[in-house]
Amino acid sequence: MENRKPFIAGNWKMFKTCSEAVNTAGQLVKLVKHANDIDVMIAPPFTALVPVSDVVKGSCVSLGAQNLFWEDEGAYTGEISSAMLVSAGCKYVIIGHSERRQYFGETDETVNKKIGSAIKDDLIPIFCVGESEKERESKATFSVLDKQVKRGIEGFSTDDLEALVIAYEPVWAIGTGKTATSSQAQEVHQFLRSMLDKILGNMLAKSIRILYGGSVKPSNIKELMTMPDVDGALVGGASLSAETFSKLVHYQV
Ligand code: PGA
């Protein structure tokens, strides 16, 4: 893993009211207070960002959002800007999750704009890519990822992308209980890192963290994290319980 700091990120999706989110975050802060040398993030729904931000302040748990809109402000009913996320206490933002691509019409082009907006406001983008089951079966995995990554980061300088985090989430493994095997994950992560090497140079390719996402749970995290190019996990279902998520944070123990 070279010098990349492991990163365990929880995506709560459309789960938890404000009081539920505050409770879970409070439990998590206690359970992971001795976690060292690891970055931890939770991404509650928008409505819970501010109250959860108060709970995690001063702890090792950082706050992330699940989406943003790229304009600074304006008549865009229902949307939230990156500056608003910063003002709510966010450090990270998940961009281009496959559920947003599938249900909300996100494309590589809108993902690119969102990454640009996050960078401008010093939010760290967690840029999600991944192939569908059909694409994997037809051996298109690498070409799909090549296109998603290139279009997603097109137009940014190496300075812009210094803090970028990439999440490889095979769509067939999200919420399905089907995890990619550690060697399947490693194969793709290695491919992504060699792409980054070609596009951004060796320094950034070595420092950008690539997370795996898709049915990560306490029983498979250790194995995944032994892979040299897997730097962490983006976790959906198993991040909703503080106890289960804390086991993922403590995967080394
Ligand atoms: P899952 O979701 O862990 O429930 O499979 C992962 C994700 O969508 O980020």
Side-chain angles (χ1 to χ4, degrees), residues 83-127:
M84 289 170 185
L85 296 179
V86 171
S87 76
C90 290
K91 177 173 175 186
Y92 298 94
V93 59
I94 299 168
I95 293 178
H97 190 281
S98 63
E99 285 151 15
R100 297 220 48 92
R101 294 179 191 253
Q102 185 180 351
Y103 304 124
F104 302 99
E106 293 212 0
T107 62
D108 294 332
E109 288 64 39
T110 59
V111 166
N112 179 266
K113 288 186 182 179
K114 291 182 178 199
I115 291 176
S117 175
I119 292 168
K120 173 178 66 60
D121 285 312
D122 287 330
L123 270 175
I124 301 176
I126 301 179
F127 167 32

Side-chain angles (χ1 to χ4, degrees), residues 70-222:
W70 58 81
E71 294 292 346
D72 289 336
E73 59 180 8
Y76 303 105
T77 302
E79 295 298 322
I80 309 267
S81 74
S82 44
M84 289 170 185
L85 296 179
V86 171
S87 76
C90 290
K91 177 173 175 186
Y92 298 94
V93 59
I94 299 168
I95 293 178
H97 190 281
S98 63
E99 285 151 15
R100 297 220 48 92
R101 294 179 191 253
Q102 185 180 351
Y103 304 124
F104 302 99
E106 293 212 0
T107 62
D108 294 332
E109 288 64 39
T110 59
V111 166
N112 179 266
K113 288 186 182 179
K114 291 182 178 199
I115 291 176
S117 175
I119 292 168
K120 173 178 66 60
D121 285 312
D122 287 330
L123 270 175
I124 301 176
I126 301 179
F127 167 32
C128 302
V129 294
E131 82 286 3
S132 68
E133 187 151 35
K134 223 166 127 200
E135 288 162 341
R136 176 161 280 263
E137 277 165 6
S138 61
K139 307 220 177 314
T141 300
F142 290 159
S143 63
V144 167
L145 293 171
D146 183 87
K147 180 172 147 283
Q148 288 178 346
V149 171
K150 281 189 181 145
R151 295 204 178 157
I153 62 174
E154 198 176 325
F156 305 123
S157 69
T158 48
D159 281 355
D160 289 338
L161 298 172
E162 211 167 6
L164 180 78
V165 176
I166 293 183
Y168 167 57
E169 299 206 307
V171 179
W172 48 271
I174 296 179
T176 57
K178 283 192 211 167
T179 325
T181 63
S182 49
S183 54
Q184 280 173 325
Q186 170 58 23
E187 185 188 27
V188 172
H189 284 225
Q190 193 174 14
F191 167 79
L192 292 171
R193 206 173 297 288
S194 65
M195 263 191 81
L196 295 175
D197 192 303
K198 280 185 211 125
I199 310 170
L200 302 171
N202 192 252
M203 281 245 294
L204 265 195
K206 273 189 168 161
S207 68
I208 287 180
R209 291 179 291 183
I210 307 178
L211 315 183
Y212 168 77
S215 301
V216 175
K217 36 190 185 280
S219 59
N220 58 27
I221 182 110
K222 219 171 179 154

